[in-house]
Amino acid sequence: MVGKKSGRALMREEGLERTDNNMETTSWPQVAPINQKNYYTEFMKREDQYLAFRTQEEEARNRMIQEARDKDRALALGVQPGTVNVNDEGVAEETTASVATKEAYLSKLIIIHPGSQNLRIGLGTDALPKTVPMVIARKWKESESEEDGGEPKPKRLKVDGIVPAAANPEKWFGEDFANQYQAMCSELRTRMRGNKRRVLPNSKELVINFNRRTPYDEITEHNDMNRIEWTELPSNPKHAPEYFTGQAALRIPEVSNPRYKLFWPIRNGMVNEKDYRDRSQIYHDISKIFEEAFKRELGISRLKDLVNYKCVFLIPDLYERKYVEMMLDILIRDLGVGKVCLQQESLSATFGAGYSISCIVDIGAQKTSICCVDEGLCIEESRINLKMGGADISETFVKMMLYDHFPYAEINLKRRYDYLLAEELKQKYCSMDEGDVTVKAAEFHLRAAGQDTRLYHFKTYDETMLSVMGLFKPSIFEQSSKLEGRRTVIPRSVDLYDGSPNDPISSAQLVVIEAAGGKTASVNGTQESTTSLAVNSTPSRTQQFNLLSRLKDENELTPRSSVAGSPGPEGTPNPDRDTPLGDSDQPLIFRDPVLEKTKQAEERDKVVPIMPLDHAILESLSQGARGDDRKMRDFFGGIMLVGGGSKTPALLSFLETRLRELRPFYGKEILVGPPPRDFDPQVVAWKGGSVFGRLSPSGNDSWVNQEEYEKLGARILVHKCMFPW
């Protein structure tokens, strides 16, 4: 019997014993396994791992080195650094060197505030900006007034293909406009009688009869003291420039050779996709307008010099990401500006006015924005963007005057000189003062290229007030063409990871869209109405508090039953899940959240956000206060109207009266005022951008330089913007 062998003997006999020759099995380094119970990583957890912070630290270090060199240079020249000059009155004064340094810094600072109608641009050393029309005229086969068969604006309705005769202007704009106009006239007469105003019963007839029978007078060119200098074109059409910008574009004759067409890159506060078919054309038109403004208004003749300049660029409060990215790309990559900083318009307006808490109402040419600002931040849920403004008032004013037999019945707002004429008449005669609603005689000069000047006499009555009243009754405005071409040229911005729409939206804007779409929505400032509308917005803290107050009453010791319903029996499908529960015969339902968000965004893009101005302000205030009564009273006492539309006489007092009628229990706190220190309301936002740009470079980390933008693109805005990007 063979004895039992050990395992080592078996390994040796079978040839399985391991023999070690002290050589490594591989030349690759072997990493010891980590203890998974206690391990961590520092990836993207330190500021020095972000390019934005590293660049900022490098700039601060270079600044300290430069200051040290300047100090040594001053000591070498025998000047004691750090000394402060004191005048005879004991007041400290800046030294000549510090003043020169500040002037040099401000002379390299550019502030740009673009709008749908005007571009305001200037240097940090300027007290007021230069105003340039935001338009470019390019060679085209026909002018804008000759397109669509020469159809005028405002559009005259046709009956059986024929425009009604000039003797029947009441039928030009349809029954809907006529009914609304008559209703507004009746409401105004009733209101004036209630305010003890004298109302003549035959005022309309006096205006119509005078306008109908009064002819115009012709004035020869050499007798016209205020004749217009039109843009001159060379005799040879081949030598004509490819484009004109600014005021020169508006002064090109309508029948010029060659023809020129006006393009407005920004319409209604958005990129103009109606008149453009290519994104690159919009890009180049905006770039050319900025470039010409730099050359003519700021004296920067070479684009190479822009690398030494900084630019504060104002964007809308409720912005579109594609719009901001396009503007940033134009300034840095196309024009070569050294550094760019983005600032929201409402926040910039508070900087210009010197307010810490306010509700900014910006009435522009084609856009009205409302936003509550508190302690240097725009409250996100209070932002509202209405697609109406001074241009709608001008068009409605012309329609109302034509309805009352305006003597210049051929007026066409597509013609450049008629467009400028309508703006002049609106600024001269429109008012919200009921005392001005009387029969008044007026006149204007019609100046067209190649024609003698015409002097028209006409009378006005209530058109001067009812046209501005459209801000509070926006149904009188023409809304049909404001969304034409929407999303056909510029695609919607989507999230990089899941592809869902990521343009910012607010609870207040959702209420406006729901109300404009004809759905039930809150226009009286209640918080509960927005809970079902805030699809992509952050729920407010007030809604959470309201839910807690439902669960438990302060006066009761026993908490109430839960608002949530009891769970259903086993097997009942749950609509809040992607698939039904239990053994049901119903088919499985899979919901794609990205697709749902996309559909909701598409539905919102089909609605023109329009709401009466007073109701929109109340909705913005309610979302900005978030149920805090003290903050609501602070906002009511700090309503500030800015923008060109706010310059209408008596608009502030009228709006204040309307708000007090809607909120009588806040009557003492409601105060609507203009910007302080007699500032022009049109330039307050620009002035705030200038104030922000004057801040110390070491304390402002919002600048985006070329190196950062070239490496990261628009992603750098996450670390640079003062607002959530």
Side-chain angles (χ1 to χ4, degrees):
M1 180 176 180
V2 180
K4 184 178 179 181
K5 295 183 179 181
S6 63
R8 184 180 297 274
L10 290 174
M11 293 284 288
R12 186 168 52 253
E13 292 178 1
E14 298 293 336
L16 300 178
E17 183 180 8
R18 176 180 177 181
T19 57
D20 194 354
N21 54 7
N22 295 326
M23 295 184 64
E24 295 289 343
T25 57
T26 177
S27 61
W28 289 91
Q30 298 183 9
V31 180
I34 63 175
N35 182 7
Q36 298 187 3
K37 294 183 179 180
N38 184 18
Y39 75 95
Y40 68 96
T41 177
E42 294 185 353
F43 178 68
M44 302 301 284
K45 289 186 177 180
R46 298 196 310 268
E47 290 186 352
D48 57 357
Q49 295 175 339
Y50 291 90
L51 176 63
F53 293 102
R54 286 203 307 271
T55 305
Q56 182 181 354
E57 292 177 357
E58 290 175 2
E59 291 180 355
R61 191 181 305 110
N62 295 335
R63 192 181 301 110
M64 292 175 60
I65 295 174
Q66 185 64 33
E67 291 177 356
R69 291 176 178 174
D70 295 340
K71 182 179 179 180
D72 295 340
R73 188 179 298 109
L75 290 174
L77 296 176
V79 179
Q80 185 65 26
T83 58
V84 179
N85 298 334
V86 180
N87 57 14
D88 298 337
E89 299 178 357
V91 180
E93 294 180 343
E94 291 183 311
T95 61
T96 305
S98 62
V99 173
T101 303
K102 179 182 286 188
E103 289 293 332
Y105 172 76
L106 296 180
S107 63
K108 299 295 183 180
L109 176 65
I110 303 174
I111 301 94
I112 300 178
H113 183 196
S116 302
Q117 183 170 323
N118 291 317
L119 167 68
R120 309 197 189 279
I121 186 172
L123 296 174
T125 54
D126 297 336
L128 295 174
K130 280 81 172 179
T131 301
V132 181
M134 191 71 184
V135 63
I136 184 171
R138 289 190 175 275
K139 285 184 179 180
W140 214 253
K141 57 182 178 181
E142 55 186 1
S143 63
E144 62 275 6
S145 61
E146 298 172 342
E147 290 185 332
D148 300 328
E151 182 177 315
K153 180 184 179 182
K155 182 179 179 181
R156 281 74 158 172
L157 298 181
K158 297 181 180 180
V159 179
D160 297 332
I162 302 175
V163 178
N168 299 316
E170 296 89 353
K171 300 180 180 180
W172 280 358
F173 309 110
E175 295 183 1
D176 188 20
F177 176 81
N179 294 335
Q180 292 191 63
Y181 184 29
Q182 295 298 332
M184 294 176 68
C185 292
S186 301
E187 292 177 6
L188 180 59
R189 286 196 298 267
T190 304
R191 185 183 183 91
M192 292 178 63
R193 290 192 183 100
N195 295 334
K196 308 301 181 181
R197 300 280 186 181
R198 184 181 179 184
V199 180
L200 298 178
N202 60 340
S203 299
K204 279 287 185 182
E205 289 74 11
L206 292 175
V207 171
I208 292 175
N209 292 333
F210 181 86
N211 292 341
R212 182 183 296 172
R213 70 172 187 268
T214 304
Y216 61 85
D217 300 329
E218 287 193 0
I219 302 175
T220 57
E221 183 178 359
H222 62 275
N223 290 329
D224 187 6
M225 300 298 296
N226 298 319
R227 57 180 177 269
I228 297 176
E229 297 294 335
W230 301 95
T231 302
E232 296 184 2
L233 299 176
S235 57
N236 189 352
K238 296 182 179 180
H239 298 161
E242 289 294 329
Y243 63 89
F244 289 92
T245 62
Q247 195 66 30
L250 296 177
R251 293 304 185 187
I252 300 177
E254 296 289 334
V255 291
S256 62
N257 186 21
R259 290 287 195 274
Y260 283 86
K261 180 183 176 181
L262 297 184
F263 289 92
W264 303 82
I266 302 177
R267 304 299 281 173
N268 300 112
M270 306 177 296
V271 177
N272 184 6
E273 299 176 87
K274 176 184 176 182
D275 299 330
Y276 288 89
R277 297 294 179 266
D278 188 8
R279 181 179 180 180
S280 61
Q281 186 180 2
I282 303 177
Y283 185 97
H284 291 304
D285 281 1
I286 297 176
S287 177
K288 290 298 181 183
I289 293 174
F290 288 170
E291 181 181 348
E292 293 297 325
F294 289 156
K295 293 180 179 179
R296 298 179 182 178
E297 307 299 335
L298 305 183
I300 305 175
S301 57
R302 299 186 306 173
L303 293 182
K304 295 180 179 180
D305 298 335
L306 287 175
V307 70
N308 301 320
Y309 284 79
K310 293 183 177 182
C311 176
V312 177
F313 191 85
L314 304 186
I315 64 173
D317 306 320
L318 201 59
Y319 55 87
E320 293 184 354
R321 296 168 66 97
K322 289 292 185 181
Y323 168 82
V324 177
E325 292 173 5
M326 177 184 292
M327 293 298 180
L328 190 61
D329 195 76
I330 290 174
L331 291 173
I332 293 183
R333 288 186 176 173
D334 195 19
L335 299 178
V337 179
K339 292 183 179 181
V340 178
C341 173
L342 301 178
Q343 181 74 286
Q344 290 175 298
E345 292 175 344
S346 293
L347 180 59
S348 182
T350 58
F351 272 72
Y355 290 169
S356 61
I357 180 170
S358 178
C359 177
I360 305 298
V361 182
D362 188 352
I363 306 176
Q366 300 175 5
K367 171 183 68 70
T368 298
S369 62
I370 308 170
C371 181
C372 296
V373 182
D374 185 14
E375 298 295 340
L377 288 177
C378 293
I379 301 178
E380 298 178 32
E381 301 302 331
S382 68
R383 296 175 295 179
I384 290 180
N385 193 317
L386 305 177
K387 303 304 180 185
M388 63 180 184
D392 297 287
I393 297 176
S394 301
E395 183 177 353
T396 305
F397 182 48
V398 170
K399 292 171 71 173
M400 290 181 176
M401 289 194 301
L402 289 175
Y403 189 91
D404 294 338
H405 294 258
F406 187 57
Y408 180 36
E410 299 83 12
I411 187 171
N412 180 6
L413 297 184
K414 289 184 178 180
R415 288 198 291 255
R416 296 148 201 172
Y417 57 88
D418 283 347
Y419 162 76
L420 297 176
L421 173 64
E423 291 292 322
E424 178 185 352
L425 294 177
K426 178 192 68 175
Q427 298 174 10
K428 192 173 182 180
Y429 298 110
C430 285
S431 172
M432 289 298 289
D433 188 2
E434 293 181 358
D436 293 338
V437 183
T438 57
V439 178
K440 289 185 176 181
E443 64 180 18
F444 67 90
H445 292 80
L446 176 64
R447 297 179 175 91
Q451 302 178 13
D452 290 336
T453 302
R454 297 180 183 180
L455 175 60
Y456 284 88
H457 299 273
F458 67 102
K459 285 187 176 181
T460 62
Y461 179 51
D462 55 2
E463 310 93 340
T464 56
M465 183 175 180
L466 294 181
S467 57
V468 189
M469 187 70 75
L471 295 174
F472 304 91
K473 294 184 180 295
S475 58
I476 197 70
F477 291 155
E478 179 64 34
Q479 314 288 352
S480 59
S481 61
K482 291 186 177 180
L483 293 181
E484 288 187 9
R486 181 72 168 149
R487 304 296 184 190
T488 57
V489 179
I490 307 297
R492 181 183 293 103
S493 177
V494 296
D495 188 80
L496 182 63
Y497 297 100
D498 60 4
S500 61
N502 61 352
D503 278 330
I505 194 70
S506 66
S507 299
Q509 184 73 7
L510 288 170
V511 173
V512 172
I513 294 175
E514 292 287 342
K519 299 180 181 180
T520 303
S522 166
V523 293
N524 57 1
T526 58
Q527 291 282 343
E528 296 180 358
S529 62
T530 59
T531 55
S532 62
L533 300 174
V535 180
N536 296 330
S537 59
T538 305
S540 64
R541 295 163 59 185
T542 306
Q543 298 168 5
Q544 301 172 5
F545 295 156
N546 289 340
L547 179 59
L548 292 177
S549 63
R550 291 181 183 180
L551 297 178
K552 184 176 182 179
D553 193 351
E554 295 179 357
N555 299 328
E556 296 179 359
L557 298 177
T558 304
R560 298 179 181 179
S561 60
S562 174
V563 178
S566 302
E570 186 176 355
T572 304
N574 188 353
D576 294 332
R577 292 198 170 191
D578 294 339
T579 59
L581 300 177
D583 299 331
S584 176
D585 296 335
Q586 297 182 2
L588 297 179
I589 301 175
F590 296 96
R591 297 188 306 179
D592 187 358
V594 176
L595 181 60
E596 291 183 359
K597 291 181 180 179
T598 304
K599 289 182 178 180
Q600 292 167 359
E602 292 175 354
E603 291 297 325
R604 291 197 298 266
D605 286 341
K606 296 177 182 178
V607 180
V608 181
I610 291 294
M611 178 182 281
L613 183 60
D614 47 356
H615 291 283
I617 293 175
L618 292 178
E619 190 64 42
S620 177
L621 289 174
S622 64
Q623 297 292 342
R626 301 173 184 174
D628 189 347
D629 186 70
R630 189 176 66 85
K631 186 169 289 186
M632 174 74 80
R633 296 179 186 274
D634 292 340
F635 284 140
F636 267 124
I639 301 176
M640 184 174 65
L641 262 63
V642 299
S646 65
K647 300 178 69 175
T648 304
L651 176 60
L652 281 73
S653 58
F654 183 86
L655 177 59
E656 186 174 310
T657 303
R658 291 291 293 259
L659 293 176
R660 287 176 177 172
E661 292 175 355
L662 294 174
R663 288 292 180 274
F665 42 86
Y666 286 111
K668 296 182 180 180
E669 287 81 7
I670 295 177
L671 179 62
V672 181
R677 299 187 294 275
D678 296 330
F679 269 180
D680 186 355
Q682 300 179 93
V683 303
V684 174
W686 182 92
K687 193 66 177 180
S690 177
V691 172
F692 182 78
R694 290 167 179 260
L695 298 178
S696 174
S698 59
N700 187 356
D701 55 353
S702 302
W703 299 103
V704 180
N705 58 37
Q706 292 184 354
E707 179 184 359
E708 295 171 340
Y709 189 76
E710 289 294 335
K711 292 181 179 179
L712 297 179
R715 292 176 295 170
I716 193 65
L717 296 178
V718 177
H719 308 288
K720 292 293 186 177
C721 291
M722 298 177 61
F723 48 88
W725 176 256

